[in-house]
Amino acid sequence: MWGNRRPPHPSRCAAGSQTQTLGYSEAKGILELRTTIADHYERTYGVQVDPEQVVVSSGSSGGFSTLLMAAFDAGATIAMTRPGYPAYRNTVHALGLNVLDLECGAAQRFQPSVAQLERLDVKPDGLIIASPANPTGTIIDPAELAAIARWCEANDVLLLSDEIYHGIEFGRPTATAWQTSREAVVLGSVSKFHSMTGWRLGWNLVPEHLVRRVELLQGNLAICAPAGSQVGAVAAFTPEAESELKGHVERYARNRQVVLDRLPDIGVTSFAPPDGAFYAYCDISHLTGDSQQWTLDILDRTGVALAPGVDFDPVDGHRFMRLSFCGSTDDLHVAFDRLGAAV
């Protein structure tokens, strides 16, 4: 079987070996990482988390898909904000679930409220929220988040709280849904604050009654999250790493101010200033009625890449575009110079 090659040493390939780092881990992830994540929640939010309720996944996207399959039957209805992250909608549809749009405009900072949920004719089976959000960068006020979590628990609606941009905030506090309800699911990731996008490592905090279902599905669908990424993620939560990562957030904050100062250069005055993450979602109806074609034209003419609003809102997104300001401050100024000349 091996020809002239020597087989790998058992300590480097046998699952469960004390010295192994690149073989399979248990489906939920290595205990060291799950404990590290649990400690992070106690240190950051004052929330005690059992590491057995932490399920490490192949990016938060992998965890999101697995959770949906574990928690809902085909035909269930999942409410989500519009605008919102497009992969939510696409994944929900792909799994045979139905989307219930919650239209959230700039006046409410693109975020839902309990009052809006109370007005629904039919209560959904699940609710997806994100704070800070993609594409808007807005944060749900902690008191409102707590009220939403209580409403979901009282109405038997499974709350999926996407908190993957936590740590990237600009003077506005964030809260975790588990400060209010252990019946919610919390999605986390090392892709954003920890700048580990390509490592594909995320996690879910899972209610007790769903842990075994998620674990079994994870074992069948992915076996486990990438082993090397799990080891790397443990180091990402150290004080040394956090010091460097906070420097990234300081750069995002400077870039955010550039965005606020220079959007009027292209006539954009209608948007909700981002509270976190590194996006701004802007009304460009004074420039176009077709954001997809406009962003393509801008890319061709200037080399500046912008995301059309239709990616995030299939109804009203033709009037919007999303820009990202996670790059260098110098590049951001160059981009605005080019945009200003183009429009």
Side-chain angles (χ1 to χ4, degrees):
M1 173 179 173
W2 290 95
N4 294 324
R5 294 177 297 161
R6 295 179 60 189
H9 191 279
S11 68
R12 295 178 183 173
C13 67
S17 167
Q18 292 297 314
T19 59
Q20 104 89 27
T21 57
L22 295 180
Y24 298 139
S25 74
E26 60 181 291
K28 290 195 294 187
I30 61 175
L31 180 58
E32 183 181 11
L33 177 57
R34 290 186 285 115
T35 301
T36 295
I37 292 169
D39 290 344
H40 162 74
Y41 279 90
E42 183 167 14
R43 185 173 63 253
T44 307
Y45 307 102
V47 173
Q48 292 188 339
V49 174
D50 183 348
E52 293 304 310
Q53 290 182 259
V54 179
V55 180
V56 178
S57 57
S58 300
S60 62
S61 299
F64 177 70
S65 301
T66 303
L67 190 283
L68 289 179
M69 286 185 274
F72 302 107
D73 293 326
T77 297
I78 313 299
M80 62 187 69
T81 61
R82 180 169 59 79
Y85 181 51
Y88 295 152
R89 180 181 303 272
N90 297 338
T91 303
V92 166
H93 281 313
L95 294 176
L97 308 173
N98 301 312
V99 171
L100 174 62
D101 279 332
L102 301 176
E103 184 179 353
C104 300
Q108 61 190 89
R109 303 189 57 75
F110 302 109
Q111 293 287 7
S113 65
V114 169
Q116 185 175 20
L117 297 172
E118 287 283 8
R119 291 194 297 268
L120 295 175
D121 295 330
V122 178
K123 290 185 173 61
D125 300 291
L127 168 66
I128 302 169
I129 59 174
S131 176
N134 180 2
T136 64
T138 58
I139 290 174
I140 301 174
D141 182 81
E144 188 66 39
L145 175 62
I148 290 172
R150 287 192 295 267
W151 182 90
C152 286
E153 189 168 328
N155 288 277
D156 197 26
V157 176
L158 181 63
L159 175 62
L160 287 75
S161 182
D162 182 342
E163 302 174 6
I164 68 172
Y165 289 96
H166 275 211
I168 308 175
E169 302 113 17
F170 312 115
R172 194 178 181 99
T174 53
T176 177
W178 265 34
Q179 288 171 299
T180 302
S181 174
R182 298 303 179 98
E183 294 303 308
V185 174
V186 170
L187 285 74
S189 172
V190 296
S191 288
K192 308 307 179 184
F193 173 73
H194 298 93
S195 297
M196 294 173 64
T197 50
W199 294 69
R200 306 315 304 134
L201 200 291
W203 68 85
N204 287 339
L205 305 186
V206 182
E208 286 186 3
H209 70 279
L210 285 174
V211 170
R212 185 58 177 159
R213 294 187 203 176
V214 173
E215 181 182 14
L216 291 173
L217 276 170
Q218 169 104 326
N220 280 274
L221 296 173
I223 301 181
C224 63
S229 298
Q230 293 189 55
V231 175
V234 172
F237 285 91
T238 61
E240 295 82 2
E242 186 166 336
S243 176
E244 177 180 341
L245 297 169
K246 286 183 176 178
H248 295 186
V249 178
E250 291 171 2
R251 172 167 49 86
Y252 303 149
R254 291 193 298 270
N255 289 354
R256 173 185 180 270
Q257 191 59 52
V258 172
V259 170
L260 298 180
D261 291 342
R262 299 208 57 182
L263 276 175
D265 293 353
I266 58 172
V268 172
T269 57
S270 179
F271 64 99
D275 306 314
F278 31 68
Y279 307 114
Y281 192 67
C282 307
D283 187 336
I284 54 170
S285 56
H286 64 293
L287 298 172
T288 184
D290 183 349
S291 63
Q292 186 166 12
Q293 188 58 53
W294 186 83
T295 53
L296 285 172
D297 291 342
I298 286 293
L299 179 61
D300 184 57
R301 292 163 55 197
T302 70
V304 176
L306 304 166
V310 290
D311 286 352
F312 311 97
D313 182 345
V315 177
D316 298 315
H318 61 281
R319 299 188 293 108
F320 290 84
M321 65 87 171
R322 187 207 72 177
L323 61 82
S324 172
F325 51 86
C326 63
S328 76
T329 305
D330 288 343
D331 284 349
L332 191 60
H333 276 297
V334 171
F336 272 109
D337 289 343
R338 295 180 184 181
L339 287 172
V343 303

